[in-house]
Amino acid sequence: MPAIVGAINVVNIGTGAVINIGDVFTIAPKASAKTFSGAGSFNTGDYNTLTNYYSNTNTYESDAVDQPMAFNL
């Protein structure tokens, strides 16, 4: 069934974002990322206490490809 859409104002869309207006069969974003961070890097909130005397971020990964993008059409 067709969609009737009024006025739309899109200010910003990120590189891995998807915007859909109206009817859609499949939405498949095409992006992948790998993030390395140390201890307590993504802690949020008030009054967090982190005690870490020795921080070591292991970035070695034996996989050649984590998220293949070749057939993501």
Side-chain angles (χ1 to χ4, degrees):
M1 185 171 176
I4 299 172
V5 180
I8 296 172
N9 182 17
V10 178
V11 177
N12 189 7
I13 297 178
T15 57
V18 174
I19 185 169
N20 174 41
I21 300 171
D23 297 337
V24 66
F25 178 72
T26 302
I27 296 177
K30 296 168 180 64
S32 66
K34 183 185 289 188
T35 303
F36 296 105
S37 62
S41 296
F42 296 118
N43 288 345
T44 58
D46 296 332
Y47 308 112
N48 283 336
T49 302
L50 176 69
T51 303
N52 187 21
Y53 297 109
Y54 180 73
S55 179
N56 186 10
T57 302
N58 184 9
T59 58
Y60 173 74
E61 173 121 24
S62 61
D63 297 339
V65 177
D66 288 331
Q67 179 68 37
M69 298 294 293
F71 299 107
N72 191 2
L73 303 174

